[in-house]
Coordinates of all heavy atoms in Angstrom, one line a residue:
C714 N -57.9 7.8 -82.6 CA -58.4 7.7 -84.0 C -59.9 7.4 -84.0 O -60.3 6.5 -83.3 CB -57.6 6.6 -84.7 SG -58.1 6.2 -86.3
R715 N -60.6 8.1 -84.9 CA -62.0 7.8 -85.1 C -62.2 6.5 -85.8 O -63.3 6.0 -85.7 CB -62.6 9.0 -85.8 CG -62.7 10.2 -85.0 CD -63.2 11.4 -85.8 NE -63.8 11.0 -87.0 CZ -64.7 11.7 -87.7 NH1 -65.0 12.9 -87.3 NH2 -65.2 11.3 -88.8
F716 N -61.2 5.9 -86.4 CA -61.4 4.7 -87.1 C -61.8 3.6 -86.1 O -62.6 2.7 -86.4 CB -60.0 4.3 -87.8 CG -60.1 3.0 -88.5 CD1 -60.9 2.8 -89.6 CD2 -59.3 1.9 -88.1 CE1 -60.9 1.6 -90.3 CE2 -59.4 0.7 -88.7 CZ -60.1 0.6 -89.8
K717 N -61.2 3.6 -84.9 CA -61.6 2.6 -83.9 C -63.0 2.7 -83.5 O -63.6 1.7 -83.1 CB -60.7 2.7 -82.7 CG -59.2 2.3 -83.0 CD -58.4 2.5 -81.8 CE -56.9 2.2 -82.2 NZ -56.0 2.5 -81.1
E718 N -63.6 3.8 -83.6 CA -65.0 4.0 -83.3 C -65.9 3.7 -84.4 O -67.1 3.8 -84.3 CB -65.2 5.5 -82.9 CG -64.4 5.9 -81.7 CD -64.4 7.4 -81.5 OE1 -65.2 8.1 -82.2 OE2 -63.6 7.9 -80.7
G719 N -65.4 3.3 -85.6 CA -66.2 3.0 -86.7 C -66.7 4.1 -87.5 O -67.6 4.0 -88.3
K720 N -66.1 5.3 -87.3 CA -66.5 6.5 -88.0 C -65.7 6.9 -89.2 O -66.1 7.8 -90.0 CB -66.5 7.7 -87.0 CG -67.4 7.4 -85.8 CD -67.9 8.7 -85.3 CE -68.6 8.5 -83.9 NZ -69.9 8.0 -83.9
V721 N -64.6 6.2 -89.4 CA -63.7 6.5 -90.6 C -63.5 5.1 -91.3 O -63.2 4.1 -90.6 CB -62.4 7.1 -90.2 CG1 -61.5 7.3 -91.3 CG2 -62.7 8.4 -89.5
N722 N -63.5 5.1 -92.6 CA -63.3 3.9 -93.3 C -61.8 3.6 -93.5 O -61.0 4.6 -93.7 CB -64.0 3.9 -94.7 CG -65.5 3.8 -94.6 OD1 -66.0 3.2 -93.7 ND2 -66.1 4.5 -95.5
A723 N -61.4 2.4 -93.5 CA -60.0 2.0 -93.8 C -59.7 2.4 -95.3 O -60.6 2.2 -96.1 CB -59.8 0.5 -93.6
T724 N -58.5 2.9 -95.5 CA -58.1 3.2 -96.9 C -57.0 2.4 -97.4 O -56.8 2.3 -98.6 CB -57.7 4.7 -97.0 OG1 -56.7 5.0 -96.0 CG2 -58.9 5.6 -96.6
V725 N -56.1 1.9 -96.5 CA -55.0 1.0 -96.9 C -54.9 -0.2 -96.0 O -55.4 -0.2 -94.9 CB -53.7 1.9 -96.8 CG1 -53.7 3.0 -97.8 CG2 -53.4 2.3 -95.4
L726 N -54.1 -1.1 -96.5 CA -53.8 -2.4 -95.7 C -52.3 -2.4 -95.6 O -51.6 -2.4 -96.6 CB -54.3 -3.6 -96.5 CG -54.0 -4.9 -95.8 CD1 -54.8 -5.1 -94.5 CD2 -54.3 -6.1 -96.8
C727 N -51.8 -2.6 -94.4 CA -50.3 -2.8 -94.2 C -50.1 -4.3 -94.4 O -50.6 -5.1 -93.7 CB -49.9 -2.4 -92.8 SG -48.1 -2.8 -92.5
V728 N -49.3 -4.6 -95.4 CA -49.0 -6.0 -95.8 C -48.2 -6.7 -94.7 O -48.6 -7.8 -94.3 CB -48.1 -6.0 -97.1 CG1 -47.7 -7.4 -97.4 CG2 -48.9 -5.4 -98.2
E729 N -47.3 -6.0 -94.0 CA -46.5 -6.7 -93.0 C -47.3 -6.9 -91.7 O -47.2 -7.9 -91.1 CB -45.2 -5.8 -92.7 CG -44.2 -5.9 -93.8 CD -44.5 -5.0 -95.0 OE1 -45.4 -4.2 -94.9 OE2 -43.8 -5.1 -95.9
C730 N -48.0 -5.9 -91.3 CA -48.8 -6.0 -90.0 C -50.2 -6.7 -90.2 O -50.8 -7.1 -89.3 CB -49.1 -4.6 -89.5 SG -47.6 -3.7 -89.0
K731 N -50.6 -6.8 -91.5 CA -51.9 -7.3 -91.9 C -53.1 -6.6 -91.1 O -53.9 -7.3 -90.6 CB -51.9 -8.8 -91.6 CG -51.0 -9.6 -92.5 CD -51.0 -11.0 -92.3 CE -50.0 -11.7 -93.2 NZ -49.4 -12.8 -92.7
I732 N -53.0 -5.3 -91.1 CA -54.1 -4.5 -90.5 C -54.5 -3.4 -91.5 O -53.7 -2.9 -92.3 CB -53.6 -3.8 -89.2 CG1 -52.4 -2.9 -89.3 CG2 -53.4 -4.9 -88.1 CD1 -52.1 -2.1 -88.1
A733 N -55.7 -3.0 -91.4 CA -56.3 -1.9 -92.2 C -56.1 -0.6 -91.4 O -56.3 -0.6 -90.2 CB -57.7 -2.2 -92.5
L734 N -55.8 0.4 -92.1 CA -55.6 1.7 -91.5 C -56.4 2.8 -92.2 O -56.5 2.8 -93.4 CB -54.1 2.1 -91.5 CG -53.2 1.1 -90.9 CD1 -51.7 1.4 -91.3 CD2 -53.3 1.2 -89.4
C735 N -56.9 3.8 -91.4 CA -57.5 5.0 -92.0 C -56.4 5.9 -92.6 O -55.2 5.7 -92.3 CB -58.4 5.7 -91.0 SG -57.4 6.5 -89.7
G736 N -56.7 7.0 -93.2 CA -55.8 7.9 -93.8 C -54.8 8.5 -92.7 O -53.6 8.5 -92.9
N737 N -55.3 8.9 -91.6 CA -54.5 9.5 -90.5 C -53.5 8.5 -90.0 O -52.4 8.7 -89.7 CB -55.3 10.1 -89.4 CG -56.1 11.4 -89.9 OD1 -55.6 12.1 -90.8 ND2 -57.2 11.7 -89.2
C738 N -54.1 7.3 -89.7 CA -53.2 6.2 -89.1 C -52.2 5.7 -90.1 O -51.1 5.4 -89.7 CB -54.1 5.1 -88.6 SG -55.1 5.5 -87.1
S739 N -52.5 5.7 -91.4 CA -51.5 5.3 -92.4 C -50.4 6.3 -92.5 O -49.2 5.9 -92.6 CB -52.2 5.1 -93.7 OG -52.6 6.3 -94.3
E740 N -50.6 7.6 -92.3 CA -49.6 8.6 -92.3 C -48.7 8.3 -91.1 O -47.4 8.4 -91.2 CB -50.2 10.0 -92.3 CG -50.8 10.4 -93.6 CD -51.4 11.8 -93.6 OE1 -51.0 12.6 -92.7 OE2 -52.3 12.0 -94.4
A741 N -49.3 8.1 -89.9 CA -48.5 7.8 -88.7 C -47.7 6.6 -88.9 O -46.5 6.5 -88.4 CB -49.4 7.8 -87.5
H742 N -48.2 5.6 -89.5 CA -47.6 4.3 -89.8 C -46.3 4.5 -90.6 O -45.3 3.9 -90.4 CB -48.6 3.3 -90.4 CG -48.3 1.9 -90.2 ND1 -48.5 1.2 -89.0 CD2 -47.9 0.9 -91.1 CE1 -48.1 -0.1 -89.2 NE2 -47.8 -0.3 -90.4
N743 N -46.5 5.3 -91.7 CA -45.3 5.7 -92.5 C -44.3 6.5 -91.8 O -43.1 6.4 -92.1 CB -45.8 6.5 -93.7 CG -46.3 5.6 -94.9 OD1 -45.8 4.4 -95.0 ND2 -47.1 6.1 -95.7
D744 N -44.7 7.3 -90.9 CA -43.7 8.2 -90.2 C -43.0 7.5 -89.0 O -41.9 7.9 -88.7 CB -44.5 9.4 -89.6 CG -45.0 10.3 -90.7 OD1 -44.5 10.2 -91.9 OD2 -45.9 11.1 -90.4
A745 N -43.5 6.5 -88.5 CA -42.9 5.8 -87.4 C -41.7 5.0 -87.9 O -41.7 4.3 -88.9 CB -43.9 4.8 -86.7
K746 N -40.6 5.1 -87.1 CA -39.3 4.4 -87.6 C -39.5 2.9 -87.7 O -39.0 2.3 -88.7 CB -38.2 4.7 -86.5 CG -37.6 6.1 -86.6 CD -36.7 6.2 -87.7 CE -36.0 7.5 -87.8 NZ -35.4 7.8 -89.0
V747 N -40.2 2.3 -86.8 CA -40.3 0.9 -86.8 C -41.2 0.3 -88.0 O -41.1 -0.8 -88.4 CB -40.9 0.4 -85.4 CG1 -42.3 0.7 -85.3 CG2 -40.7 -1.1 -85.3
T748 N -42.1 1.2 -88.5 CA -43.0 0.7 -89.6 C -42.8 1.5 -90.9 O -43.5 1.3 -91.8 CB -44.4 0.8 -89.2 OG1 -44.7 2.2 -88.7 CG2 -44.7 -0.2 -88.1
E749 N -41.8 2.4 -91.0 CA -41.7 3.3 -92.2 C -41.4 2.5 -93.4 O -41.7 3.0 -94.5 CB -40.6 4.3 -91.9 CG -39.2 3.8 -91.8 CD -38.2 4.9 -91.5 OE1 -38.5 6.1 -91.4 OE2 -37.0 4.5 -91.3
S750 N -40.8 1.3 -93.3 CA -40.5 0.5 -94.5 C -41.6 -0.4 -94.9 O -41.5 -1.2 -95.9 CB -39.2 -0.3 -94.3 OG -39.4 -1.2 -93.3
H751 N -42.7 -0.4 -94.2 CA -43.9 -1.3 -94.5 C -44.6 -0.9 -95.8 O -44.5 0.2 -96.2 CB -44.9 -1.3 -93.3 CG -44.4 -2.1 -92.1 ND1 -45.2 -2.4 -91.1 CD2 -43.2 -2.5 -91.8 CE1 -44.5 -3.0 -90.2 NE2 -43.3 -3.1 -90.6
T752 N -45.2 -1.9 -96.4 CA -45.9 -1.7 -97.7 C -47.4 -1.5 -97.4 O -48.0 -2.3 -96.7 CB -45.8 -2.9 -98.6 OG1 -44.4 -3.2 -98.8 CG2 -46.5 -2.7 -99.9
L753 N -47.9 -0.3 -97.8 CA -49.3 0.0 -97.6 C -50.0 0.0 -98.9 O -49.6 0.7 -99.9 CB -49.5 1.4 -97.0 CG -48.8 1.6 -95.6 CD1 -49.0 3.0 -95.1 CD2 -49.3 0.6 -94.6
L754 N -51.0 -0.9 -99.0 CA -51.7 -1.1 -100.3 C -53.1 -0.4 -100.2 O -53.8 -0.7 -99.2 CB -51.9 -2.5 -100.6 CG -50.6 -3.3 -100.9 CD1 -51.0 -4.8 -101.1 CD2 -49.9 -2.8 -102.1
P755 N -53.5 0.4 -101.2 CA -54.8 0.9 -101.1 C -55.9 -0.2 -101.2 O -55.7 -1.1 -102.0 CB -54.9 1.8 -102.4 CG -53.5 2.0 -102.8 CD -52.7 0.9 -102.3
L756 N -56.9 -0.1 -100.4 CA -57.9 -1.1 -100.3 C -58.8 -1.1 -101.6 O -59.4 -2.1 -101.9 CB -58.8 -1.0 -99.1 CG -58.1 -1.4 -97.8 CD1 -59.0 -1.1 -96.6 CD2 -57.7 -2.8 -97.8
S757 N -58.8 0.0 -102.3 CA -59.5 0.1 -103.6 C -58.8 -0.7 -104.7 O -59.4 -1.0 -105.7 CB -59.8 1.5 -104.0 OG -58.5 2.2 -104.1
Q758 N -57.5 -1.0 -104.5 CA -56.8 -1.7 -105.5 C -57.1 -3.2 -105.5 O -57.6 -3.7 -104.5 CB -55.3 -1.6 -105.3 CG -54.6 -0.6 -106.0 CD -53.0 -0.7 -105.8 OE1 -52.6 -1.6 -105.2 NE2 -52.3 0.2 -106.3
Q759 N -56.8 -3.9 -106.6 CA -57.0 -5.3 -106.6 C -55.7 -5.9 -106.0 O -54.6 -5.5 -106.3 CB -57.2 -5.8 -108.0 CG -58.5 -5.4 -108.6 CD -58.7 -5.9 -110.0 OE1 -57.8 -6.5 -110.6 NE2 -59.8 -5.7 -110.5
H760 N -55.9 -6.8 -105.0 CA -54.7 -7.3 -104.3 C -54.4 -8.8 -104.6 O -54.5 -9.6 -103.8 CB -55.0 -7.2 -102.8 CG -55.4 -5.9 -102.3 ND1 -54.5 -4.8 -102.4 CD2 -56.5 -5.3 -101.8 CE1 -55.0 -3.7 -102.0 NE2 -56.3 -4.0 -101.6
G761 N -54.0 -9.0 -105.8 CA -53.6 -10.4 -106.2 C -52.5 -10.9 -105.4 O -52.4 -12.1 -105.0
C762 N -51.5 -10.0 -105.0 CA -50.4 -10.5 -104.2 C -50.8 -11.0 -102.8 O -50.2 -11.9 -102.3 CB -49.4 -9.4 -104.0 SG -49.9 -8.0 -103.1
L763 N -51.9 -10.5 -102.3 CA -52.4 -10.9 -100.9 C -52.9 -12.3 -101.0 O -52.6 -13.1 -100.1 CB -53.5 -10.0 -100.4 CG -53.0 -8.6 -100.0 CD1 -54.2 -7.8 -99.6 CD2 -52.0 -8.7 -98.9
S764 N -53.6 -12.7 -102.0 CA -54.2 -14.0 -102.0 C -53.2 -15.1 -102.3 O -53.4 -16.2 -102.0 CB -55.4 -14.1 -103.0 OG -54.9 -13.8 -104.3
R765 N -52.1 -14.7 -102.9 CA -51.0 -15.7 -103.2 C -50.0 -15.8 -102.1 O -49.4 -16.9 -101.9 CB -50.4 -15.4 -104.5 CG -51.2 -15.7 -105.7 CD -50.4 -15.6 -107.0 NE -49.8 -14.3 -107.2 CZ -50.4 -13.3 -107.8 NH1 -51.7 -13.5 -108.3 NH2 -49.8 -12.2 -108.0
E766 N -49.6 -14.8 -101.4 CA -48.5 -14.7 -100.6 C -48.8 -14.6 -99.1 O -47.9 -15.0 -98.3 CB -47.6 -13.5 -100.9 CG -47.1 -13.6 -102.4 CD -46.3 -12.4 -102.8 OE1 -46.1 -11.5 -101.9 OE2 -45.9 -12.3 -103.9
H767 N -49.9 -14.2 -98.7 CA -50.2 -14.0 -97.3 C -51.2 -15.0 -96.7 O -52.2 -15.3 -97.3 CB -50.7 -12.6 -97.1 CG -49.7 -11.6 -97.4 ND1 -48.7 -11.2 -96.6 CD2 -49.4 -10.9 -98.6 CE1 -47.9 -10.4 -97.1 NE2 -48.3 -10.1 -98.4
Y768 N -50.8 -15.5 -95.6 CA -51.6 -16.5 -94.9 C -52.3 -16.0 -93.7 O -51.9 -15.1 -93.0 CB -50.7 -17.7 -94.5 CG -50.1 -18.4 -95.8 CD1 -48.9 -18.0 -96.3 CD2 -50.8 -19.4 -96.4 CE1 -48.4 -18.6 -97.4 CE2 -50.3 -20.0 -97.5 CZ -49.1 -19.6 -98.0 OH -48.6 -20.2 -99.2
C769 N -53.4 -16.7 -93.4 CA -54.3 -16.4 -92.3 C -53.5 -16.6 -91.0 O -52.8 -17.5 -90.8 CB -55.5 -17.2 -92.3 SG -56.7 -16.9 -91.0
R770 N -53.7 -15.6 -90.0 CA -53.1 -15.7 -88.7 C -53.8 -16.8 -87.9 O -53.2 -17.3 -86.9 CB -53.1 -14.4 -88.0 CG -52.2 -13.3 -88.6 CD -52.2 -12.1 -87.8 NE -53.3 -11.3 -88.2 CZ -53.7 -10.2 -87.6 NH1 -53.1 -9.7 -86.6 NH2 -54.7 -9.4 -88.1
V771 N -55.0 -17.1 -88.1 CA -55.8 -18.0 -87.3 C -55.8 -19.4 -87.9 O -55.5 -20.4 -87.1 CB -57.3 -17.5 -87.2 CG1 -58.1 -18.5 -86.4 CG2 -57.4 -16.1 -86.6
H772 N -56.0 -19.6 -89.2 CA -56.0 -20.9 -89.8 C -54.7 -21.1 -90.6 O -54.7 -20.7 -91.8 CB -57.3 -21.0 -90.7 CG -58.5 -20.7 -89.9 ND1 -59.2 -19.5 -90.0 CD2 -59.2 -21.5 -89.0 CE1 -60.2 -19.6 -89.2 NE2 -60.3 -20.8 -88.6
R773 N -53.8 -21.7 -90.0 CA -52.4 -21.9 -90.7 C -52.6 -22.6 -92.0 O -53.3 -23.6 -92.1 CB -51.5 -22.6 -89.7 CG -51.2 -21.9 -88.5 CD -50.0 -22.4 -87.8 NE -49.8 -21.7 -86.5 CZ -48.9 -20.7 -86.4 NH1 -48.2 -20.4 -87.4 NH2 -48.8 -20.1 -85.2
G774 N -51.9 -22.1 -93.0 CA -51.9 -22.7 -94.3 C -52.9 -22.2 -95.2 O -52.9 -22.4 -96.4
E775 N -53.9 -21.5 -94.7 CA -55.0 -20.9 -95.5 C -54.6 -19.5 -96.0 O -54.1 -18.7 -95.2 CB -56.3 -20.8 -94.7 CG -56.9 -22.1 -94.3 CD -57.5 -22.8 -95.5 OE1 -57.9 -22.2 -96.5 OE2 -57.7 -24.0 -95.4
T776 N -54.8 -19.3 -97.3 CA -54.4 -18.0 -97.9 C -55.5 -17.0 -97.6 O -56.7 -17.3 -97.6 CB -54.1 -18.1 -99.4 OG1 -55.3 -18.6 -100.0 CG2 -52.9 -18.9 -99.7
V777 N -55.1 -15.7 -97.5 CA -56.0 -14.6 -97.3 C -56.7 -14.3 -98.6 O -56.0 -14.1 -99.6 CB -55.3 -13.4 -96.7 CG1 -56.1 -12.1 -96.8 CG2 -54.8 -13.6 -95.3
K778 N -58.0 -14.4 -98.7 CA -58.7 -14.2 -99.9 C -59.9 -13.2 -99.7 O -60.5 -12.8 -100.7 CB -59.3 -15.5 -100.5 CG -58.2 -16.4 -100.9 CD -58.8 -17.7 -101.5 CE -57.7 -18.6 -101.8 NZ -58.2 -19.9 -102.4
Y779 N -60.1 -12.8 -98.5 CA -61.3 -11.9 -98.2 C -60.8 -10.8 -97.2 O -59.8 -10.9 -96.5 CB -62.4 -12.7 -97.5 CG -62.9 -13.8 -98.4 CD1 -62.3 -15.1 -98.3 CD2 -63.8 -13.6 -99.4 CE1 -62.7 -16.1 -99.1 CE2 -64.2 -14.6 -100.3 CZ -63.7 -15.9 -100.1 OH -64.1 -16.9 -101.0
Y780 N -61.6 -9.8 -97.1 CA -61.4 -8.7 -96.2 C -62.7 -8.5 -95.4 O -63.7 -8.2 -96.0 CB -61.0 -7.4 -96.9 CG -60.6 -6.3 -95.9 CD1 -59.4 -6.3 -95.3 CD2 -61.5 -5.3 -95.6 CE1 -59.0 -5.3 -94.4 CE2 -61.2 -4.3 -94.7 CZ -60.0 -4.3 -94.1 OH -59.6 -3.3 -93.2
C781 N -62.6 -8.6 -94.1 CA -63.7 -8.4 -93.2 C -63.8 -6.9 -92.9 O -63.0 -6.3 -92.1 CB -63.6 -9.2 -91.9 SG -65.0 -8.9 -90.8
E782 N -64.8 -6.2 -93.4 CA -65.0 -4.8 -93.2 C -65.4 -4.5 -91.7 O -65.1 -3.5 -91.1 CB -66.1 -4.2 -94.1 CG -65.7 -4.2 -95.6 CD -64.7 -3.1 -95.9 OE1 -64.5 -2.1 -95.1 OE2 -64.1 -3.2 -97.0
T783 N -66.1 -5.4 -91.1 CA -66.6 -5.3 -89.7 C -65.4 -5.3 -88.8 O -65.4 -4.5 -87.9 CB -67.5 -6.5 -89.4 OG1 -68.6 -6.6 -90.3 CG2 -68.1 -6.3 -88.0
C784 N -64.4 -6.2 -89.0 CA -63.3 -6.3 -88.1 C -62.0 -5.6 -88.6 O -61.0 -5.5 -88.0 CB -63.0 -7.7 -87.8 SG -64.3 -8.6 -87.0
N785 N -62.1 -5.1 -89.9 CA -61.0 -4.4 -90.5 C -59.8 -5.3 -90.6 O -58.7 -5.0 -90.1 CB -60.6 -3.1 -89.8 CG -61.8 -2.2 -89.7 OD1 -62.4 -1.8 -90.8 ND2 -62.2 -1.8 -88.5
S786 N -60.0 -6.5 -91.1 CA -59.0 -7.6 -91.1 C -59.0 -8.4 -92.4 O -60.1 -8.8 -92.8 CB -59.2 -8.4 -89.9 OG -58.3 -9.5 -89.8
P787 N -57.9 -8.7 -92.9 CA -57.8 -9.7 -94.0 C -58.1 -11.1 -93.5 O -57.5 -11.4 -92.4 CB -56.4 -9.6 -94.6 CG -55.6 -9.0 -93.5 CD -56.5 -8.2 -92.6
I788 N -58.9 -11.9 -94.1 CA -59.2 -13.2 -93.6 C -59.2 -14.3 -94.7 O -59.2 -14.0 -95.9 CB -60.6 -13.2 -92.9 CG1 -61.7 -12.8 -93.9 CG2 -60.6 -12.3 -91.7 CD1 -63.1 -12.8 -93.4
C789 N -59.3 -15.6 -94.3 CA -59.3 -16.7 -95.2 C -60.7 -17.2 -95.3 O -61.6 -16.7 -94.6 CB -58.4 -17.8 -94.7 SG -58.9 -18.6 -93.2
L790 N -60.9 -18.2 -96.2 CA -62.3 -18.8 -96.4 C -62.9 -19.4 -95.1 O -64.0 -19.0 -94.7 CB -62.3 -19.8 -97.5 CG -63.6 -20.5 -97.8 CD1 -64.6 -19.5 -98.2 CD2 -63.4 -21.6 -98.8
P791 N -62.1 -20.2 -94.3 CA -62.7 -20.7 -93.1 C -63.1 -19.6 -92.1 O -64.1 -19.7 -91.4 CB -61.6 -21.6 -92.5 CG -60.8 -22.1 -93.7 CD -60.9 -20.9 -94.6
C792 N -62.4 -18.5 -92.1 CA -62.7 -17.4 -91.2 C -64.1 -16.8 -91.6 O -64.9 -16.4 -90.7 CB -61.7 -16.2 -91.4 SG -60.2 -16.4 -90.5
T793 N -64.5 -16.8 -92.9 CA -65.8 -16.2 -93.3 C -67.0 -16.9 -92.7 O -67.9 -16.2 -92.4 CB -65.9 -16.3 -94.8 OG1 -66.0 -17.6 -95.3 CG2 -64.8 -15.5 -95.5
F794 N -66.9 -18.2 -92.4 CA -68.1 -18.9 -91.8 C -67.8 -19.3 -90.4 O -68.8 -19.8 -89.7 CB -68.5 -20.0 -92.7 CG -67.5 -21.1 -93.0 CD1 -67.3 -22.1 -92.1 CD2 -66.8 -21.0 -94.2 CE1 -66.4 -23.1 -92.4 CE2 -65.8 -22.0 -94.4 CZ -65.6 -23.1 -93.6
L795 N -66.6 -19.2 -89.9 CA -66.4 -19.6 -88.5 C -66.3 -18.4 -87.6 O -67.1 -18.3 -86.7 CB -65.1 -20.5 -88.4 CG -65.1 -21.8 -89.1 CD1 -63.7 -22.4 -89.1 CD2 -66.1 -22.7 -88.4
D796 N -65.3 -17.6 -87.8 CA -65.0 -16.5 -86.9 C -65.7 -15.2 -87.3 O -65.8 -14.3 -86.5 CB -63.5 -16.2 -86.8 CG -62.8 -17.5 -86.4 OD1 -63.2 -18.2 -85.5 OD2 -61.7 -17.8 -87.0
H797 N -66.1 -15.0 -88.6 CA -66.6 -13.8 -89.1 C -68.0 -13.9 -89.7 O -68.5 -13.1 -90.5 CB -65.7 -13.1 -90.1 CG -64.3 -12.8 -89.5 ND1 -64.0 -11.6 -89.0 CD2 -63.2 -13.6 -89.3 CE1 -62.8 -11.6 -88.5 NE2 -62.3 -12.8 -88.7
K798 N -68.7 -15.0 -89.3 CA -70.1 -15.2 -89.8 C -71.0 -14.0 -89.5 O -71.0 -13.5 -88.4 CB -70.7 -16.5 -89.2 CG -72.0 -16.9 -89.8 CD -72.4 -18.2 -89.2 CE -73.7 -18.7 -89.9 NZ -74.1 -20.0 -89.5
G799 N -71.7 -13.5 -90.5 CA -72.6 -12.4 -90.4 C -71.9 -11.1 -90.5 O -72.6 -10.0 -90.5
H800 N -70.6 -11.0 -90.7 CA -69.9 -9.8 -90.9 C -69.9 -9.3 -92.3 O -70.3 -10.1 -93.2 CB -68.4 -9.9 -90.4 CG -68.2 -10.2 -89.0 ND1 -67.0 -10.2 -88.4 CD2 -69.1 -10.5 -88.0 CE1 -67.1 -10.4 -87.1 NE2 -68.4 -10.6 -86.8
E801 N -69.6 -8.1 -92.5 CA -69.5 -7.5 -93.9 C -68.2 -7.9 -94.5 O -67.1 -7.4 -94.0 CB -69.7 -6.0 -93.8 CG -69.7 -5.4 -95.2 CD -69.9 -3.9 -95.1 OE1 -70.4 -3.3 -94.1 OE2 -69.6 -3.2 -96.1
I802 N -68.2 -8.8 -95.5 CA -67.0 -9.3 -96.0 C -66.9 -9.1 -97.5 O -67.9 -9.2 -98.2 CB -66.9 -10.9 -95.8 CG1 -66.9 -11.1 -94.3 CG2 -65.8 -11.5 -96.5 CD1 -67.0 -12.6 -93.9
E803 N -65.7 -8.7 -98.0 CA -65.5 -8.5 -99.4 C -64.4 -9.4 -99.9 O -63.4 -9.6 -99.2 CB -65.1 -7.0 -99.7 CG -66.3 -6.0 -99.4 CD -65.9 -4.6 -99.9 OE1 -65.1 -4.5 -100.8 OE2 -66.5 -3.7 -99.4
E804 N -64.5 -9.9 -101.1 CA -63.5 -10.7 -101.7 C -62.3 -9.8 -102.2 O -62.6 -8.7 -102.7 CB -64.0 -11.5 -102.9 CG -63.0 -12.4 -103.5 CD -63.6 -13.2 -104.6 OE1 -64.8 -13.0 -105.0 OE2 -62.9 -14.1 -105.1
I805 N -61.1 -10.2 -101.9 CA -59.9 -9.5 -102.5 C -59.8 -10.0 -103.9 O -59.5 -11.2 -104.1 CB -58.7 -9.8 -101.6 CG1 -58.9 -9.2 -100.2 CG2 -57.5 -9.1 -102.3 CD1 -57.8 -9.6 -99.2
K806 N -60.0 -9.1 -104.8 CA -59.9 -9.5 -106.3 C -58.5 -9.8 -106.7 O -57.6 -9.1 -106.3 CB -60.5 -8.4 -107.1 CG -61.9 -8.0 -106.7 CD -62.9 -8.9 -107.2 CE -64.3 -8.3 -106.9 NZ -65.3 -9.3 -106.9
N807 N -58.4 -10.8 -107.6 CA -57.1 -11.1 -108.2 C -56.9 -10.2 -109.5 O -57.7 -9.8 -110.1 CB -57.0 -12.5 -108.6 CG -56.8 -13.4 -107.3 OD1 -56.3 -12.9 -106.3 ND2 -57.2 -14.6 -107.4

């Protein structure tokens, strides 16, 4: 996938896997038996459900409120200045 090389932008976020996927990878994600029931949300949408229901994998108890474009990952507030300092970060709008 060219997404890994940074040549394709992520278009969706898999809620269950908490990973961003490009168009081609999201189609493969939907087609795979193990992930066909996963919820894929367009990154252009406002993701109120993410900030209320999903927690950071690194900082337990912290809700995901941001998306790191550099790492293609949903992140929490502590992540923005600890693990992702200097990265391109966008707030997930409610």
Side-chain angles (χ1 to χ4, degrees):
C714 171
R715 291 177 11 161
F716 179 66
K717 292 179 183 174
E718 300 167 11
K720 303 210 189 276
V721 177
N722 290 328
T724 57
V725 297
L726 176 70
C727 176
V728 174
E729 289 78 8
C730 296
K731 296 183 179 141
I732 59 170
L734 302 164
C735 67
N737 291 335
C738 290
S739 66
E740 288 179 26
H742 204 72
N743 273 335
D744 292 341
K746 285 281 184 200
V747 71
T748 55
E749 68 184 359
S750 64
H751 286 192
T752 304
L753 301 180
L754 297 176
L756 288 176
S757 59
Q758 262 187 6
Q759 295 180 351
H760 303 297
C762 64
L763 288 178
S764 63
R765 286 193 299 272
E766 299 174 3
H767 295 279
Y768 294 92
C769 180
R770 290 185 275 174
V771 177
H772 304 102
R773 296 195 182 263
E775 293 288 336
T776 56
V777 168
K778 295 182 181 177
Y779 303 93
Y780 184 79
C781 179
E782 292 286 343
T783 306
C784 298
N785 303 305
S786 177
I788 59 174
C789 68
L790 179 61
C792 280
T793 64
F794 58 86
L795 295 173
D796 306 316
H797 298 265
K798 188 174 183 173
H800 292 190
E801 185 179 338
I802 296 171
E803 291 189 24
E804 184 177 5
I805 297 173
K806 306 280 185 200
N807 287 332

